[in-house]
Structure formats: structure tokens, C-alpha cells
Amino acid sequence: MHRFIVYQYGKVGSTAVVETLNTLPEVEAHQVHFFGPTAFEIIFNKLLDPALSDYFFEHSSGQLLGNMRVYRQFRQARDKGERVTVLSMFREPFDWFRSCIAQEIDDHINTFRYSLDRAGVVWDSDEQAVTLGLELLLTRILGALESAGGIDNLSMEVRRGLNQTMAFADDRDFEQFLFLLGRFLAPHFWFATNLRPALETDLQDMERLSTDLFRARKEWGNIYLLRYEQLQGAFESALRDLGYADPPQLAHSNISAEKPFSDAINAVFASPAAHKLKRLCQSETDRFLGYGSLRTPG
């Protein structure tokens, strides 16, 4: 049995990858968003926070037990000398954030309403609340980047001190912003805060096989990083590297109907403020994965 674990930060095609892997003979594949004792402790403590939204509580608590089960199976397989492969994916961070907001908008709209009301901004429809709330959020993220001097400087400690240099209506307004800022930063910090402690592997340990695929060899198997934008090609290359001569086409799955307010969200992400923020999306992770060179400073 060849065990695959698809370990990633979400919205990067993981469902299609897992479904396709499970069509192969003698393969068992699972996907996880958090992995290992450090991640489990962090998620557990977040779940105990009464300020966490119901959406994220249900979403994360439902995953916790399943992720723990996969981690246990991983350790059992590793100890028995069985074949284990970990696949992870990476995506252009700013586009990932747009997708994140669009897919989670039903929960975020309440945050936007609250921030706008406390800022004295008038809105007369949910669509306008999304537009104005998202504009305010992007302006605040710009302020956080400028205050910290860049993404790499936005440690958790620095984020916690942003209310000393930026204006927020109250503690709830600030905590909601910190949550959304954390979502924005996820692709930049995920490999350091999740991949490293779970699998004892840094990005710098990865060998670049192509612009779309990275690999690290471990005693128990290989870890691969696949570029979302060229996922089919990266997926095929990873399977061929593992000895699969005829990799299958990725399944088309998890394709949902258009989310509410998608036009409003896309319009904000096409605005001058959004373009400025995207140009500032420069991090160590970004540069290593090849996205930083795609943006022109300005």
C-alpha cells in the first residue's frame, strides 16, 4: 500500500488531487490542513476561543479528529517502513486571498458590517457592505504592511501591537481584523509554521525539479510541492518521479456554483488599492516559490 498525505492550506486543488490518487491501485490518499502535535495544539486552543465564529469552529473542529487520525496512520506507516508520500501545493498568494474571501464571504460579511458601522460608514445593501468592507480591509492591510515594514516582519507579536499604530473602533474590531490579516498572510507563513514543525522540513530543504515542482527526500518517503497554477503538469511529474509511468488526469471536483457577491469582490480586487497591495506581497516564501519576480515594485 502506498499512502499519500495531501497537506496544504486550502483552496489549492487538494480535493481533485486526493480523488485522483485514490483511483490508483494500492493507493490510499487523505488530505489534511493541520498535521502534527504543534498544529493540533494551536487549533485546539483556537477552538476554545468564544470569539471564534461559528463557521470556523464547525469547519475546524470537524477536521481536527480526522487530521489526528491521518497523523497517527502516518506515524504507524513510517515506523513499519511502509511507503509514504506527502504532497503539498502552493498558489500565488494574492489570488489565493481573493479566492479565500470569495469562498468564505457568508461568514466575513458580518465582520464587514461591524467594522463599517463602528467606523460610521453608511451602507444600504449587503453588496455595498461587501464592497466597502473589503475596501476598508485592504486599506488596513496596507497600513499593517507599511507599519511593520513588510510581510516578513509581521510576526504574531508585531500583529498584536498594530492597535498601537493603527485606529480600530474597539477590541472586537481589532480582533476581527487580526483574523482576516492572518488569512491574508497564510500562504506566506504556512510553510514555516506548519510544514516545518510537522515534517521537519524547511522550504530551503526542497530541491527545485522544475518551476512547478519541488522535492525533499526523507527516510520514510518524499515530500513534493506542486504549483497550483500548473497543477496537472506538476502532479504528473511528481507521480512519474515516484515510478508511475502513466499518471491520470486530475479529477474535476469541488467546483461550486458562483459564490454570492463575486462581482463586487472581483471589482475590489481589481482596484488601484488592490494592485498596490499585490505589488507589496513580497515575502521570503514568495521569492523562493517564484512569485515575487512577477511583481514590479511601486
Side-chain angles (χ1 to χ4, degrees), residues 250-283:
L250 285 171
H252 292 284
S253 90
N254 204 27
I255 301 175
S256 57
E258 189 176 78
K259 293 291 184 178
F261 315 113
S262 60
D263 288 343
I265 293 169
N266 289 336
V268 175
F269 273 88
S271 67
H275 287 305
K276 180 179 179 180
L277 181 56
K278 184 173 182 176
R279 288 195 299 271
L280 292 176
C281 282
Q282 300 281 343
S283 67

Side-chain angles (χ1 to χ4, degrees), residues 36-180:
T38 300
F40 296 148
E41 182 178 2
I42 292 172
I43 293 299
F44 184 76
N45 288 333
K46 284 184 177 180
L47 291 173
L48 297 179
D49 183 358
L52 185 69
S53 72
D54 291 342
Y55 170 86
F56 286 101
F57 176 82
E58 296 298 335
H59 193 63
S60 297
S61 61
Q63 292 177 347
L64 180 57
L65 181 58
N67 286 194
M68 291 173 64
R69 183 178 293 113
V70 174
Y71 182 68
R72 183 171 183 268
Q73 292 170 349
F74 161 71
R75 293 190 62 179
Q76 289 174 333
R78 183 189 62 186
D79 293 346
K80 293 177 183 177
E82 295 177 357
R83 196 177 188 191
V84 180
T85 297
V86 174
L87 300 181
S88 189
M89 282 74 81
F90 57 97
R91 180 175 180 178
E92 197 284 314
F94 197 71
D95 185 57
W96 179 88
F97 184 57
R98 177 201 54 76
S99 177
C100 174
I101 292 293
Q103 293 189 44
E104 298 170 356
I105 192 59
D106 289 338
D107 190 68
H108 296 323
I109 190 172
N110 292 322
T111 296
F112 294 156
R113 291 186 190 116
Y114 186 87
S115 295
L116 292 171
D117 288 344
R118 294 305 179 275
V121 178
V122 177
W123 52 274
D124 57 16
S125 68
D126 284 347
E127 182 170 352
Q128 191 174 39
V130 168
T131 296
L132 296 175
L134 188 51
E135 288 175 350
L136 176 60
L137 174 63
L138 297 188
T139 298
R140 284 176 163 179
I141 293 175
L142 275 169
L145 291 180
E146 291 168 354
S147 175
I151 287 177
D152 289 330
N153 297 328
L154 276 169
S155 65
M156 185 59 69
E157 182 180 1
V158 170
R159 288 179 236 171
R160 280 284 169 192
L162 287 172
N163 60 348
Q164 304 299 314
T165 57
M166 298 174 60
F168 296 93
D170 52 33
D171 288 344
R172 177 179 169 183
D173 187 30
F174 180 52
E175 292 296 329
Q176 290 179 159
F177 169 70
L178 287 182
F179 178 82
L180 286 168

